[in-house]
Amino acid sequence: MAGAKRCIGLDLGSHSVKLAEMAIDRGGIRIVRMLSAPVTVGPDALEDERNAAIVAAVRGLIKEHKIPTRRAVFGMPGHTVFFRRIRLPRAPGPRLRQIVHFEARQLIPFPLEKTMVEFQVFDTEEEREVEVLLVAMKKETNQEFMRLIRRIGLRPIGITASTLALFNGQEIHRFNVKEWEEKSQSKGLLAFGKAGPKKAKKKKAKKGEEEPEEPVEEEIDEDIEMMAGGGFEEVRAYVNIGARTTELAICKGGGSETIGFIRPIPLGGNHVTAAIMKACKTDTFTQAEQIKLQQAACLSGIYEIEADTEKFNAEACQAATKVCDRLVAELRRSLDYFISQPDGVAVDLIVLSGGAAEMAFLASYIEERLGLPVETPRALGNGQIKTPSQYGEDFDYSPYRIAVGLAAQGLGISPVHVDFLPADIRATRDVSSQYAELAALAGVIGVMIFLSAQLGSGAEQNYRRIIDTLPQQVEQRETERRNLDEANRQRDRVTEKTQLLAQQLSAKDYWLDLMLQIQNIKPAGMLLTQVTCQPDRENPKIGQITIRGEAEQQAAITNFVRYLPQQSPMITNASLAILEQGRSTYFNKQISQFQLLLRVRTPQGRGRAVLTRLPRPPEIEHQAEPER
């Protein structure tokens, strides 16, 4: 995944959405902002209602804080993704991909044809083997998530699992920014401008004075230096307790960036709230949530010593502790499984995060039951990554670990970069970056040719003088003149192609934007089968679009017609020309067929209407009701 210079990481939780924006600029790597907003629906809400609340929460954050960045990496729930860590023989890229897909067919519990398979290769101590992190997801699940992303309105440059994002967000404390900058500069990937990175100037000492000492470089945190050097041996288990799911990611020792074990556990804060609601017999889930936040605690040994029993609700504490027992049991099973692997080792430390992890005495309870130290660090843990001044020393970063991990993947600085972005959108993203590189290359060539042209006039006189004085060098100078002419011809070809490319892109920009708006407004139960765009011959600023389609319900058609002019400023009028009942050509059922006429504004010079037909699927004999 190509790294962006500025990126948003969006953790779309069921209880709240969390946003982290990171950037790479002349000052290095920095966190621009971290924000969160509640998802205002209950745990029993339908999926459409929950998605609508998530879209409203994200849009509200972007609008309220005036966030200009549009590139974003999104995290999918860990339980929607299948993980496996396997060892395979070392092979070239295409051959290794074939081996991975063969192994995936044996391991993945659903048909490979309906699955998106991604993987990442890590080196091992064995010369003939590599370690592969195999990750798979159903295509249907990915398509549903992409519909949610399109409603949000941001430009996706990556999709990954929240469990992998948790690992990336926690491992940010091991990231050595200075070493990364040195490697990037050596490869020419990090541009600091003409002057390069700022260095302290050394003042010359006056006569009779002592020379001033050289400025001492900023010291690197000892923990970071030790970890970057490969001396890090501590094995950490990262546990993020969310509302509906607990994400578990275990790192490997020895400074390795490989994930040792990952697993989503179907237990979270909502299960604790539901147990309290049943034990305390509250009327609503919201009341039980308030009891959990203010009067519930885990009955650990430290609770018996330090807790003020009058402050807590005994019934709520007992109900919460029972759910925590189930969570501890699942964690113990996962740790035992990790240790039983051929390269498995004992876990040294559990790092706790997530909104539900803030329940009183939960950390001490897990520590007692598992016999392992448990930490709940609030700091980012990496002083080399700059943070805004409003985030002081007391700011709690733990709820934003997953969002930071997503943003880090967008910048290309994360250890794990598995990406489930659909192939068509990924190709558009890569082409856009190639256009940027092409523009930069064209600019460099233009400057070089311009400078050559400026020097050419003076050089021409010098050439004539040399020719007059040294006739024997005429042939040599003639070769140099031909090279200059060839450079001018190459410049003209590059300029011509660049202008042609700009014309083509601007000509299609308007209609692509309009089609995208129509697609976003279209209800999910409606299928558009044909789109015809025609310009008005008398007025070039007015165009007409004819849309044919079908839907199961007529109400969806009428709502679509009514909302089109309201939602799109490009559409001036929408009318329903044909509405009739019939059998669908694409599905074996009765539907309503319709034809819409749209009047649109087409700014002169931005593009012209063209005829676009959607491909018709092959005829299929339906023996039974098709899957939806």
Side-chain angles (χ1 to χ4, degrees):
M1 172 176 176
K5 296 299 181 183
R6 198 180 188 99
C7 178
I8 290 175
L10 269 177
D11 178 14
L12 306 180
S14 58
H15 187 268
S16 65
V17 296
K18 300 174 184 65
L19 180 150
E21 183 181 2
M22 297 182 67
I24 299 177
D25 51 27
R26 186 162 182 166
I29 300 175
R30 62 188 179 94
I31 295 178
V32 181
R33 56 174 62 89
M34 287 179 290
L35 307 168
S36 64
V39 178
T40 56
V41 294
D44 298 330
L46 299 177
E47 198 65 25
D48 291 341
E49 297 177 357
R50 185 175 304 281
N51 290 343
I54 290 175
V55 172
V58 176
R59 288 182 175 179
L61 283 176
I62 294 174
K63 182 177 180 180
E64 178 183 357
H65 298 274
K66 299 179 182 180
I67 302 176
T69 306
R70 286 296 176 265
R71 294 186 174 186
V73 178
F74 296 83
M76 296 193 65
H79 66 271
T80 63
V81 183
F82 174 85
F83 304 94
R84 278 293 184 274
R85 188 170 59 92
I86 55 179
R87 289 210 171 197
L88 297 176
R90 193 181 297 270
R95 175 59 179 166
L96 182 60
R97 180 173 291 274
Q98 293 179 357
I99 297 175
V100 169
H101 279 268
F102 176 80
E103 293 293 333
R105 191 176 296 275
Q106 314 301 320
L107 296 174
I108 297 176
F110 28 85
L112 196 62
E113 295 75 17
K114 299 181 179 180
T115 307
M116 296 180 67
V117 178
E118 298 293 337
F119 65 93
Q120 183 174 348
V121 180
F122 299 90
D123 282 330
T124 64
E125 64 281 359
E126 299 291 338
E127 295 183 359
R128 298 184 178 181
E129 287 185 340
V130 293
E131 190 166 83
V132 176
L133 176 63
L134 176 65
V135 190
M137 174 192 304
K138 290 185 178 179
K139 292 182 179 179
E140 181 181 1
T141 304
N142 184 269
Q143 292 169 0
E144 293 177 358
F145 192 71
M146 283 302 303
R147 284 194 285 269
L148 173 62
I149 292 178
R150 292 189 183 99
R151 293 176 61 185
I152 292 176
L154 295 176
R155 179 184 174 187
I157 61 172
I159 297 176
T160 189
S162 57
T163 313
L164 302 179
L166 170 65
F167 180 82
N168 289 334
Q170 291 284 12
E171 288 288 287
I172 201 75
H173 75 280
R174 298 174 58 180
F175 185 72
N176 193 321
V177 178
K178 295 185 179 297
E179 181 180 343
W180 172 80
E181 288 179 349
E182 293 174 358
K183 291 181 179 179
S184 300
Q185 292 180 50
S186 64
K187 296 179 181 179
L189 300 177
L190 191 62
F192 289 96
K194 295 181 179 180
K198 292 184 177 179
K199 296 182 179 179
K201 295 182 178 179
K202 182 179 178 181
K203 297 182 179 180
K204 295 183 178 180
K206 296 181 179 179
K207 188 174 182 179
E209 296 182 358
E210 296 182 359
E211 290 191 5
E213 296 182 358
E214 294 185 3
V216 181
E217 296 184 358
E218 182 181 354
E219 295 184 358
I220 302 175
D221 188 277
E222 293 181 359
D223 294 336
I224 298 176
E225 188 174 12
M226 178 182 64
M227 290 180 283
F232 184 82
E233 295 294 340
E234 190 175 50
V235 178
R236 295 185 170 197
Y238 302 124
V239 179
N240 186 85
I241 306 177
R244 293 194 292 183
T245 308
T246 296
E247 309 286 356
L248 170 64
I250 304 177
C251 68
K252 295 184 68 175
S256 172
E257 295 182 344
T258 312
I259 294 182
F261 180 77
I262 42 182
R263 180 197 174 195
I265 301 174
L267 284 173
N270 285 350
H271 297 82
V272 177
T273 306
I276 293 176
M277 182 177 179
K278 181 178 180 181
C280 298
K281 299 179 181 178
T282 59
D283 296 331
T284 62
F285 190 87
T286 304
Q287 294 176 356
E289 184 74 15
Q290 291 297 323
I291 294 176
K292 182 186 74 173
L293 296 176
Q294 301 175 4
Q295 305 177 35
C298 287
L299 301 177
S300 65
I302 297 180
Y303 169 85
E304 300 293 339
I305 299 174
E306 299 181 356
D308 182 4
T309 56
E310 296 181 357
K311 177 182 176 182
F312 296 101
N313 185 316
E315 294 178 348
C317 292
Q318 292 176 0
T321 304
K322 289 181 180 180
V323 179
C324 292
D325 281 336
R326 293 162 52 193
L327 176 61
V328 170
E330 293 296 330
L331 291 175
R332 181 180 290 111
R333 287 178 52 196
S334 301
L335 297 179
D336 291 343
Y337 176 80
F338 173 66
I339 295 174
S340 66
Q341 298 304 300
D343 56 349
V345 293
V347 172
D348 301 311
L349 176 68
I350 294 179
V351 181
L352 210 57
S353 62
E358 297 179 359
M359 189 168 59
F361 300 100
L362 175 59
S364 60
Y365 187 80
I366 296 176
E367 186 172 298
E368 291 177 3
R369 292 298 184 272
L370 294 180
L372 293 172
V374 177
E375 291 183 357
T376 55
R378 299 170 59 89
L380 182 65
N382 193 333
Q384 299 183 53
I385 297 179
K386 299 177 177 59
T387 55
S389 58
Q390 64 265 28
Y391 302 134
E393 296 180 356
D394 297 333
F395 185 81
D396 187 6
Y397 290 86
S398 59
Y400 300 94
R401 294 293 182 182
I402 293 179
V404 170
L406 294 170
Q409 177 167 333
L411 298 182
I413 62 173
S414 61
V416 179
H417 46 267
V418 174
D419 186 7
F420 280 102
L421 197 65
D424 54 342
I425 302 179
R426 191 182 306 179
T428 303
R429 177 198 68 192
D430 296 340
V431 168
S432 300
S433 62
Q434 291 175 6
Y435 280 152
E437 294 176 0
L438 177 61
L441 180 60
V444 174
I445 295 176
V447 171
M448 294 175 62
I449 295 176
F450 174 77
L451 294 176
S452 299
Q454 295 295 321
L455 296 175
S457 58
E460 184 178 359
Q461 298 177 1
N462 188 33
Y463 293 160
R464 292 185 181 277
R465 184 171 60 255
I466 294 176
I467 290 175
D468 294 338
T469 56
L470 302 173
Q472 63 273 21
Q473 297 184 5
V474 170
E475 183 62 27
Q476 177 182 356
R477 301 307 182 187
E478 184 66 22
T479 302
E480 295 179 0
R481 188 185 63 81
R482 287 196 296 267
N483 292 340
L484 179 60
D485 293 339
E486 180 62 24
N488 290 330
R489 286 193 293 270
Q490 292 181 4
R491 176 198 58 186
D492 294 338
R493 286 197 295 267
V494 171
T495 303
E496 181 182 357
K497 292 181 180 179
T498 304
Q499 293 175 351
L500 180 61
L501 179 61
Q503 294 174 1
Q504 294 297 325
L505 290 178
S506 61
K508 296 182 179 179
D509 176 70
Y510 174 81
W511 295 103
L512 291 176
D513 288 346
L514 180 58
M515 291 297 102
L516 179 60
Q517 290 185 15
I518 295 176
Q519 180 65 22
N520 290 336
I521 300 171
K522 180 186 72 65
M526 179 182 295
L527 176 65
L528 303 183
T529 59
Q530 181 176 336
V531 179
T532 306
C533 303
Q534 297 176 340
D536 195 320
R537 296 180 179 178
E538 298 180 358
N539 188 353
K541 294 187 177 181
I542 301 297
Q544 177 175 294
I545 298 180
T546 304
I547 299 178
R548 298 186 62 88
E550 57 186 43
E552 298 182 18
Q553 299 180 357
Q554 292 186 7
I557 301 174
T558 56
N559 291 336
F560 182 51
V561 177
R562 185 169 66 254
Y563 285 128
L564 271 174
Q566 301 176 8
Q567 300 296 325
S568 175
M570 303 178 184
I571 300 174
T572 60
N573 184 35
S575 60
L576 185 62
I578 300 176
L579 180 63
E580 58 186 11
Q581 302 292 326
R583 181 166 293 277
S584 173
T585 308
Y586 304 88
F587 305 96
N588 188 21
K589 58 170 57 179
Q590 289 294 119
I591 48 85
S592 296
Q593 298 177 340
F594 65 90
Q595 178 175 313
L596 303 180
L597 296 179
L598 306 181
R599 299 284 289 178
V600 298
R601 300 185 184 91
T602 58
Q604 189 172 7
R606 290 198 63 184
R608 24 180 324 212
V610 296
L611 179 62
T612 304
R613 295 183 181 274
L614 301 180
R616 181 168 179 172
E619 297 293 336
I620 302 176
E621 296 184 4
H622 297 276
Q623 302 297 334
E625 186 71 9
E627 293 183 3
R628 292 303 306 275

